[in-house]
Short mmCIF file of all heavy atoms in Angstrom, two decimals:
data_model
loop_
_atom_site.label_atom_id
_atom_site.label_comp_id
_atom_site.label_asym_id
_atom_site.label_seq_id
_atom_site.Cartn_x
_atom_site.Cartn_y
_atom_site.Cartn_z
N GLU A 995 32.69 9.00 20.71
CA GLU A 995 32.12 8.98 22.11
C GLU A 995 31.00 10.02 22.30
O GLU A 995 30.02 9.69 23.01
CB GLU A 995 33.22 9.16 23.09
CG GLU A 995 34.26 8.07 23.18
CD GLU A 995 35.52 8.41 23.96
OE1 GLU A 995 35.92 9.59 23.93
OE2 GLU A 995 36.12 7.51 24.58
N PHE A 1002 22.72 7.38 23.49
CA PHE A 1002 22.26 7.00 24.81
C PHE A 1002 21.14 7.90 25.31
O PHE A 1002 20.11 7.42 25.88
CB PHE A 1002 23.38 6.99 25.79
CG PHE A 1002 23.05 6.63 27.17
CD1 PHE A 1002 22.66 5.35 27.64
CD2 PHE A 1002 22.95 7.66 28.14
CE1 PHE A 1002 22.29 5.08 28.95
CE2 PHE A 1002 22.56 7.39 29.48
CZ PHE A 1002 22.30 6.11 29.84
N ALA A 1005 17.98 7.27 23.55
CA ALA A 1005 17.46 5.93 23.93
C ALA A 1005 16.75 6.06 25.33
O ALA A 1005 15.78 5.41 25.54
CB ALA A 1005 18.56 4.93 23.94
N ASN A 1011 9.44 7.24 27.46
CA ASN A 1011 8.16 7.31 26.76
C ASN A 1011 7.45 5.96 26.68
O ASN A 1011 6.28 5.85 26.87
CB ASN A 1011 8.44 7.84 25.37
CG ASN A 1011 8.73 9.32 25.39
OD1 ASN A 1011 8.61 10.00 26.43
ND2 ASN A 1011 9.21 9.89 24.26
N ARG A 1012 8.28 4.91 26.41
CA ARG A 1012 7.76 3.59 26.30
C ARG A 1012 7.10 3.16 27.61
O ARG A 1012 6.08 2.49 27.68
CB ARG A 1012 8.83 2.58 25.84
CG ARG A 1012 8.21 1.28 25.35
CD ARG A 1012 9.39 0.32 24.92
NE ARG A 1012 8.90 -0.87 24.44
CZ ARG A 1012 9.57 -2.02 24.50
NH1 ARG A 1012 10.84 -1.98 24.93
NH2 ARG A 1012 9.02 -3.17 24.08
N HIS A 1020 10.13 7.97 15.02
CA HIS A 1020 11.27 7.36 14.25
C HIS A 1020 12.64 7.53 14.89
O HIS A 1020 13.36 6.54 15.14
CB HIS A 1020 11.31 7.96 12.84
CG HIS A 1020 12.45 7.58 12.02
ND1 HIS A 1020 13.58 8.38 11.94
CD2 HIS A 1020 12.75 6.48 11.27
CE1 HIS A 1020 14.51 7.79 11.22
NE2 HIS A 1020 14.02 6.63 10.75
N ILE A 1027 16.87 0.96 19.62
CA ILE A 1027 17.44 -0.23 19.06
C ILE A 1027 18.96 -0.14 19.03
O ILE A 1027 19.65 -1.11 19.37
CB ILE A 1027 16.86 -0.53 17.67
CG1 ILE A 1027 15.34 -0.81 17.75
CG2 ILE A 1027 17.54 -1.74 16.98
CD1 ILE A 1027 14.61 -0.90 16.36
N MET A 1047 18.22 -10.65 18.62
CA MET A 1047 17.57 -9.83 19.60
C MET A 1047 17.06 -8.48 19.09
O MET A 1047 16.00 -7.98 19.46
CB MET A 1047 18.51 -9.60 20.77
CG MET A 1047 18.08 -8.67 21.90
SD MET A 1047 18.58 -6.95 21.68
CE MET A 1047 20.33 -7.03 21.71
N PRO A 1066 13.65 0.38 7.13
CA PRO A 1066 13.81 -0.91 6.54
C PRO A 1066 15.04 -1.65 6.88
O PRO A 1066 15.16 -2.84 6.85
CB PRO A 1066 13.80 -0.59 5.04
CG PRO A 1066 14.33 0.81 4.95
CD PRO A 1066 13.79 1.46 6.21
N TYR A 1069 22.16 0.07 10.01
CA TYR A 1069 23.60 -0.29 10.06
C TYR A 1069 24.16 0.26 11.36
O TYR A 1069 24.08 1.52 11.62
CB TYR A 1069 24.40 0.28 8.89
CG TYR A 1069 24.21 -0.48 7.58
CD1 TYR A 1069 23.42 0.08 6.54
CD2 TYR A 1069 24.78 -1.67 7.43
CE1 TYR A 1069 23.28 -0.60 5.42
CE2 TYR A 1069 24.64 -2.39 6.29
CZ TYR A 1069 23.88 -1.84 5.18
OH TYR A 1069 23.76 -2.55 4.04
N VAL A 1097 1.85 3.72 5.08
CA VAL A 1097 3.14 3.87 4.49
C VAL A 1097 3.56 5.29 4.43
O VAL A 1097 2.86 6.10 3.80
CB VAL A 1097 3.13 3.24 3.05
CG1 VAL A 1097 4.51 3.34 2.38
CG2 VAL A 1097 2.69 1.80 3.06
N PRO A 1098 4.65 5.69 5.03
CA PRO A 1098 5.13 7.11 5.02
C PRO A 1098 5.29 7.61 3.60
O PRO A 1098 5.88 7.04 2.77
CB PRO A 1098 6.45 7.05 5.73
CG PRO A 1098 6.37 5.86 6.59
CD PRO A 1098 5.61 4.87 5.80
N PRO A 1103 -5.54 8.19 -2.96
CA PRO A 1103 -6.50 8.95 -3.66
C PRO A 1103 -7.91 8.59 -3.21
O PRO A 1103 -8.14 7.53 -2.66
CB PRO A 1103 -6.31 8.63 -5.10
CG PRO A 1103 -5.77 7.16 -5.03
CD PRO A 1103 -4.90 7.12 -3.74
N ILE A 1119 -12.37 28.25 -28.68
CA ILE A 1119 -11.99 29.15 -29.79
C ILE A 1119 -10.98 28.46 -30.65
O ILE A 1119 -10.33 27.51 -30.29
CB ILE A 1119 -11.33 30.44 -29.22
CG1 ILE A 1119 -10.02 30.16 -28.45
CG2 ILE A 1119 -12.29 31.30 -28.37
CD1 ILE A 1119 -9.28 31.37 -27.98
N VAL A 1121 -7.58 28.53 -32.91
CA VAL A 1121 -6.27 29.20 -32.82
C VAL A 1121 -5.40 28.70 -33.99
O VAL A 1121 -5.34 27.51 -34.25
CB VAL A 1121 -5.59 28.90 -31.53
CG1 VAL A 1121 -4.24 29.66 -31.43
CG2 VAL A 1121 -6.49 29.32 -30.37
N ASP A 1128 6.97 26.00 -33.06
CA ASP A 1128 5.89 25.62 -32.10
C ASP A 1128 5.81 26.58 -30.92
O ASP A 1128 6.77 27.24 -30.57
CB ASP A 1128 6.20 24.23 -31.52
CG ASP A 1128 6.06 23.04 -32.49
OD1 ASP A 1128 5.68 23.33 -33.61
OD2 ASP A 1128 6.24 21.92 -32.09
N VAL A 1131 1.49 26.79 -24.66
CA VAL A 1131 0.83 27.69 -23.70
C VAL A 1131 0.56 26.87 -22.48
O VAL A 1131 -0.16 25.82 -22.58
CB VAL A 1131 -0.45 28.31 -24.28
CG1 VAL A 1131 -1.12 29.22 -23.19
CG2 VAL A 1131 -0.09 29.13 -25.52
N SER A 1133 -0.92 25.97 -18.51
CA SER A 1133 -2.20 26.05 -17.94
C SER A 1133 -2.46 27.34 -17.15
O SER A 1133 -3.57 27.80 -16.98
CB SER A 1133 -2.46 24.86 -17.08
OG SER A 1133 -1.50 24.85 -15.98
N HIS A 1136 -2.49 33.60 -18.82
CA HIS A 1136 -3.66 34.37 -19.33
C HIS A 1136 -3.66 34.30 -20.83
O HIS A 1136 -2.78 34.83 -21.52
CB HIS A 1136 -3.48 35.83 -18.82
CG HIS A 1136 -4.69 36.68 -19.19
ND1 HIS A 1136 -4.68 38.01 -19.23
CD2 HIS A 1136 -5.96 36.31 -19.55
CE1 HIS A 1136 -5.80 38.47 -19.60
NE2 HIS A 1136 -6.62 37.49 -19.80
N VAL A 1156 -6.26 28.07 -20.54
CA VAL A 1156 -6.58 26.80 -21.15
C VAL A 1156 -7.11 25.81 -20.14
O VAL A 1156 -6.74 25.74 -18.97
CB VAL A 1156 -5.35 26.17 -21.84
CG1 VAL A 1156 -4.95 26.99 -22.98
CG2 VAL A 1156 -4.23 25.95 -20.92
N ARG A 1158 -6.76 22.93 -18.71
CA ARG A 1158 -5.74 21.83 -18.55
C ARG A 1158 -5.35 21.87 -17.01
O ARG A 1158 -5.45 22.85 -16.36
CB ARG A 1158 -4.49 22.07 -19.40
CG ARG A 1158 -4.64 21.92 -20.84
CD ARG A 1158 -4.91 20.45 -21.24
NE ARG A 1158 -4.90 20.26 -22.68
CZ ARG A 1158 -5.93 20.47 -23.48
NH1 ARG A 1158 -7.09 20.90 -22.99
NH2 ARG A 1158 -5.83 20.26 -24.75
N ARG A 1165 0.13 22.66 -27.13
CA ARG A 1165 1.10 23.04 -28.10
C ARG A 1165 0.51 23.38 -29.42
O ARG A 1165 -0.36 22.61 -29.95
CB ARG A 1165 2.13 21.91 -28.28
CG ARG A 1165 3.27 22.16 -29.25
CD ARG A 1165 4.22 21.02 -29.32
NE ARG A 1165 4.87 20.78 -28.05
CZ ARG A 1165 5.96 21.46 -27.64
NH1 ARG A 1165 6.55 22.41 -28.44
NH2 ARG A 1165 6.52 21.18 -26.48
N ILE A 1179 -10.08 32.46 -15.30
CA ILE A 1179 -9.00 32.42 -14.28
C ILE A 1179 -9.68 32.82 -12.98
O ILE A 1179 -10.38 33.82 -12.88
CB ILE A 1179 -7.88 33.40 -14.62
CG1 ILE A 1179 -7.19 32.93 -15.88
CG2 ILE A 1179 -6.88 33.44 -13.45
CD1 ILE A 1179 -6.15 33.86 -16.37
N GLY A 1181 -10.02 33.94 -8.94
CA GLY A 1181 -9.34 34.99 -8.11
C GLY A 1181 -9.73 36.35 -8.55
O GLY A 1181 -10.52 36.63 -9.45
N SER A 1191 -11.42 46.69 -25.31
CA SER A 1191 -12.74 47.30 -25.41
C SER A 1191 -13.46 46.70 -26.59
O SER A 1191 -12.89 46.02 -27.49
CB SER A 1191 -12.59 48.79 -25.65
OG SER A 1191 -11.75 49.06 -26.72
#
Side-chain angles (χ1 to χ4, degrees):
E995 291 166 331
F1002 174 76
N1011 288 348
R1012 193 179 180 207
H1020 171 266
I1027 295 171
M1047 175 267 296
Y1069 281 109
V1097 178
I1119 62 174
V1121 182
D1128 290 0
V1131 179
S1133 60
H1136 184 200
V1156 294
R1158 290 291 189 277
R1165 182 178 296 276
I1179 297 176
S1191 57

